[in-house]
Amino acid sequence: MLGAGINASRIIYANPAKQESHIVFAMEHHVDLTVVDSVFEVEKLAMLHPAGAVLVRIITDDRDASTQLSNKYGAPVATAKDIEGESLYWA
């Protein structure tokens, strides 16, 4: 995306398996918004990209979707509050 000339402020890093080197790359290139679905990811981002912001991916009822992804990705709504609290702690 960056190579295509997309401004970093318009990019959301949403890979569900975030390698440390990719988080550092995002930080170095000012890709500052990352999707998370666990407290662990917030803690990892706090260490590697402390100035970044997070969006919480929430599990939805997608049983009627052509491709169901909530069985693999997202946080339960009850956990989302814990994730939010952790992100505020590190802010």
Side-chain angles (χ1 to χ4, degrees):
M1 303 304 296
L2 293 168
I6 306 296
N7 188 298
S9 68
R10 301 192 44 83
I11 298 172
I12 300 172
Y13 180 35
N15 188 333
K18 297 168 189 69
Q19 296 180 24
E20 290 186 5
S21 62
H22 294 178
I23 296 169
V24 171
F25 179 91
M27 180 192 64
E28 290 172 346
H29 292 87
H30 309 287
V31 176
D32 295 328
L33 190 54
T34 302
V35 176
V36 298
D37 47 23
S38 71
V39 169
F40 171 74
E41 285 186 302
V42 172
E43 292 169 349
K44 190 175 182 181
L45 286 166
M47 296 299 154
L48 298 169
H49 190 353
V54 298
L55 293 173
V56 180
R57 180 182 6 244
I58 298 175
I59 292 174
T60 61
D61 179 2
D62 61 355
R63 65 179 154 228
D64 294 327
S66 59
T67 303
Q68 295 177 343
L69 297 175
S70 283
N71 58 352
K72 289 179 77 173
Y73 309 113
V77 172
T79 304
K81 282 290 193 188
D82 295 334
I83 295 169
E84 177 189 32
E86 188 70 14
S87 65
L88 292 173
Y89 171 80
W90 289 104

